[in-house]
Amino acid sequence: MSGAGQRCASCGSANIVQDELYAEQQQVCADCGSVESAVVLAQDPAGGSDVSYRRTTAVAKQLCANLIKGLERVKEIGRLLRVRSEIEELASKYFKQAYEHEDFIRVSLEKKEVLAGCCVLVSCRQLNWPITMGTISCLLSADQALVGAVHQQMVKSLDIQAPTTNITDIMEGHCQEYKLSPSQVREEFAEDSKALTKQAMALVELAADSWIVTGRRPLPIMMSAVYLAWQSLNPNKDRLKLSLDKFCNIAKVQKHNPASKRISELKEVLCKLGKEIPWIRERLTHDNIIQHVGDILQHRYALLRRALRAHEVSLQADSQITCGNPSAGEKPPSQSSDCVDQTPDASMEQQCSNEEREPQVGDGDETPVPEESDSHSQDQAPDWRKRVLFAPPCVNRPKRKRAERPELIVTGDEEISDSEIDSYIRTPQEAQIFALSQKMFASSDSGKS
């Protein structure tokens, strides 16, 4: 077999043939016998050209064990948040890229776990899914400052355009949708947009501190906050008797049905905090709490600490009473008699200064859980929902378990009822149509033959 188009480098002859020497193939000049090309195994390293280990077909590259655990953690977080499948896939893609990046190769396992949550957070923000950094921090039981630092580093290293959301800007834009200017509504219904935004923003922050926003869509919560803020800024008779439906009609916005439930939940939290204000002597209900919203929002952090502390003390007193020592547990009065004759501002300032000197029991979203050493008290309150003042909605309103349907076992030997037999029998009209169709088929077959 000659090589077409080739000439010998020694004699210039075109008579080049392919010679097989055992397992080697080489081209030889038939005239002078010189070897033109050959595979020399001894001279090439590793039996041929240099090939990297991961490109060989003998061994497939396997993923790192920590990378596999991180991808599983990303899926767990996505399923806890019940995100869409495309968000989960995008988060897994970002985690693979960040895990192999030089900025995250030599970091601790804690930061790698936080990195998984940050990948989910970035994916949710890019695909417009309402998840906050505080939610990710709670799921990972990690410091929010650490989550923020890892998030910034990941966005910078991977050059990701992650949209940032500011609740203040969102509330300003949302409040501007309500047509409540003096030129659009009557004077008793008119309200300044800036004052409405500030009051509604404080209510949203209070809802976040009391777990109301957890797992909820933002629009109904913002609508309920705007409605309560609008009523509390000028609590006259015209505004107080106006329902949410009529308020939406006046403001020319579309009502969100869950907003009614969020209003009830916000009023419940306001009532719990309003009980800790010493100058309020009346019994607070959902009907009269609107008049005190301004004072509650002004001192909400101090009232949150007082309410959590009073709830813990009452639980300890109840546990001591159930153990047979009723004299040891005495609930402290929620209203101080020393502050009755003082002005509201002076009394609250004095109580806030006293609370700063006292040890803090709970602050923000942290809900204190009283320690119970005896088993008897645990039997009395097995559900921890009764031991906390504020809890997430999934705890206060757990989903009902779906009743499982009994499995149908069909063997084919079941008895057939008379009604089923009648349904199988043709009617006289159906029998006549069937007979006519048979005659037509028989005549057509005879004509063809």
Side-chain angles (χ1 to χ4, degrees), residues 3-16 27 29 31 34 36:
Q6 295 184 1
R7 290 187 175 276
C8 178
S10 300
C11 64
S13 174
N15 190 10
I16 306 296
Q27 292 180 349
C29 178
D31 296 336
S34 63
E36 296 300 321

Side-chain angles (χ1 to χ4, degrees), residues 298-306 309 345 347-363:
Q298 184 179 359
H299 309 289
R300 63 180 182 274
Y301 299 112
L303 294 176
L304 277 170
R305 292 193 294 267
R306 284 176 57 88
R309 186 181 297 112
D345 296 336
S347 61
M348 181 52 72
E349 290 177 0
Q350 180 181 359
Q351 291 175 10
C352 292
S353 61
N354 293 334
E355 289 175 354
E356 291 177 357
R357 291 191 296 267
E358 295 175 359
Q360 302 295 333
V361 177
D363 193 7

Side-chain angles (χ1 to χ4, degrees), residues 415-427:
E415 296 182 357
I416 301 176
S417 62
D418 295 339
S419 60
E420 292 179 341
I421 295 175
D422 294 339
S423 64
Y424 298 146
I425 299 176
R426 294 187 178 93
T427 61

